[in-house]
């Protein structure tokens, strides 16, 4: 994991984001201080998609997620004929619906798709 800072402007108001990249399951300490969680999975990996669902369930057990902003992000940098898409849009959106109050984005860093968003 890593730590990052980024200043963003939302509705004309400046906010400083303190971003902490976590690898692995959330623990009680993480659950107690997180204001928002972005779950990232690879669109060409069924196992990464399933892991996101498990991590969300763990976070929900540690802390009700109704007061935590959630986003689900599917990355697609390596989709090709030799590495086809494994997770369809409808399945990702269904998981996002199950998470409640969750935004869903598909990104591609190679082409800049939804990276800033």
């Amino acid at each position: 994991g890593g730590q990052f800072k980024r200043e963003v402007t939302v509705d004309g108001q400046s906010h400083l984001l303190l971003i902490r990249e976590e690898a692995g399951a959330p623990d009680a300490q993480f659950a107690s201080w997180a204001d928002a969680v972005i779950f990232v999975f690879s669109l060409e990996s069924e196992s990464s998609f399933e892991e996101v669902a498990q991590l969300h369930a763990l976070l929900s057990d540690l802390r009700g997620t109704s007061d935590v902003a959630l986003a689900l992000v599917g990355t697609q940098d390596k989709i090709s004929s030799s590495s086809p898409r494994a997770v369809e849009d409808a399945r990702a959106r269904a998981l996002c619906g199950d998470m409640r109050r969750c935004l869903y984005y598909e990104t591609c860093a190679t082409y800049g798709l939804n990276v800033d968003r």
Side-chain angles (χ1 to χ4, degrees):
Q3 295 182 2
F4 310 91
K5 291 181 184 179
R6 181 167 183 189
E7 189 171 345
V8 297
T9 302
V10 178
D11 296 332
Q13 203 170 22
S14 179
H15 300 274
L16 179 63
L17 299 180
L18 302 174
I19 303 166
R20 186 169 145 187
E21 181 181 352
E22 293 286 329
D27 59 18
Q29 181 181 8
F30 170 83
S32 70
W33 68 261
D35 294 318
V37 177
I38 301 171
F39 293 101
V40 180
F41 71 97
S42 169
L43 289 165
E44 63 268 359
S45 171
E46 179 69 30
S47 63
S48 72
F49 181 70
E50 291 170 3
E51 185 175 3
V52 161
Q54 293 170 356
L55 292 173
H56 176 261
L58 286 171
L59 179 64
S60 296
D61 288 345
L62 292 168
R63 172 184 175 179
T65 56
S66 62
D67 62 340
V68 178
L70 300 176
L72 180 63
V73 176
T75 63
Q76 57 176 313
D77 289 332
K78 297 178 183 174
I79 291 178
S80 67
S81 59
S82 62
S83 181
R85 182 180 182 129
V87 180
E88 293 303 319
D89 183 71
R91 286 183 62 216
R93 290 189 184 280
L95 176 59
C96 201
D98 292 345
M99 290 179 170
R100 296 184 174 71
R101 296 184 49 217
C102 179
L103 300 172
Y104 176 63
Y105 298 99
E106 288 189 5
T107 66
C108 179
T110 303
Y111 301 109
L113 174 67
N114 289 330
V115 173
D116 287 334
R117 205 167 166 203

